[in-house]
């Protein structure tokens, strides 16, 4: 999830997770249909938006809600400041990279997420494209399988 802070008063959010495949969570209830489970998850997230007081509690609640339906091994919530071209992670879960980006501002230039946010266009890259890109562009952590 990315909060766009480039325009005062604007509350634009987008969600991002770079998990290559969606798999049901082990805690997923097989007695309910996927649509019913999805509705419960969305209700939990909407409720958390109104019930939580701190952004850290909201992020944890969103992560737990998503993880109850699908396995979310890579997930983050970040604030994007397009004027300063920085990204600040409010909450991060990463299966490989535990560097601790939380509450640090990173430069968007030359990064995959920066390219997506600054160009305002989605991007789909496969392993061979990511390996080629890693040779010339800045990146943090291991090369992902898909982006």
């Amino acid at each position: 999830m990315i909060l766009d802070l480039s325009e005062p008063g604007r509350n634009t959010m987008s969600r991002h997770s770079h998990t290559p495949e969606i798999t049901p969570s082990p805690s997923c209830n097989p007695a309910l249909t996927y649509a019913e489970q999805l509705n419960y998850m969305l209700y939990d997230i909407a409720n958390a938006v109104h019930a939580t007081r701190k952004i850290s509690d909201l992020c944890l609640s969103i992560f737990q809600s998503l993880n109850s339906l699908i396995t979310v091994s890579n997930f983050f919530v970040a604030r994007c400041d397009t004027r300063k071209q920085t990204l600040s992670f409010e909450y991060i879960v990463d299966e490989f990279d535990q560097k601790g980006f939380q509450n640090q501002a990173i430069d968007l230039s030359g990064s995959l997420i920066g390219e997506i946010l600054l160009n305002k266009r989605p991007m789909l890259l496969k392993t061979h494209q990511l390996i080629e890109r890693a040779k010339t562009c800045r990146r943090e952590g291991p090369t992902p399988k898909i982006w």
Side-chain angles (χ1 to χ4, degrees), residues 48-86:
V49 168
H50 296 286
T52 55
R53 300 251 184 245
K54 297 190 293 186
I55 189 81
S56 59
D57 294 339
L58 175 61
C59 295
L60 177 61
S61 181
I62 292 170
F63 172 75
Q64 289 172 336
S65 293
L66 289 171
N67 207 41
S68 72
L69 188 58
I70 60 173
T71 302
V72 186
S73 53
N74 296 297
F75 174 81
F76 68 82
V77 176
R79 293 179 192 259
C80 178
D81 187 334
T82 52
R83 286 178 294 183
K84 294 180 182 178
Q85 293 196 354
T86 58

Side-chain angles (χ1 to χ4, degrees), residues 17 19 21-29 34 37-38 40-42 44-45 58-76 91 93-95:
S17 174
T19 304
E21 56 188 62
I22 296 176
T23 56
S25 173
S27 64
C28 196
N29 184 344
Y34 184 78
Q37 292 174 38
L38 183 61
Y40 282 121
M41 182 195 67
L42 292 173
D44 287 344
I45 291 171
L58 175 61
C59 295
L60 177 61
S61 181
I62 292 170
F63 172 75
Q64 289 172 336
S65 293
L66 289 171
N67 207 41
S68 72
L69 188 58
I70 60 173
T71 302
V72 186
S73 53
N74 296 297
F75 174 81
F76 68 82
Y91 184 88
V93 174
D94 192 302
E95 64 183 324

Side-chain angles (χ1 to χ4, degrees), residues 20 39 42 44-45 50 63 75 79 97 99 113 118 123 131-132 135 138 140 147:
N39 281 336
L42 292 173
D44 287 344
I45 291 171
H50 296 286
F63 172 75
F75 174 81
R79 293 179 192 259
D97 196 2
K99 282 187 171 181
I113 193 66
L118 296 173
M123 179 187 319
I131 290 170
E132 286 300 312
K135 293 176 184 175
R138 178 181 65 84
E140 300 288 340
W147 184 272

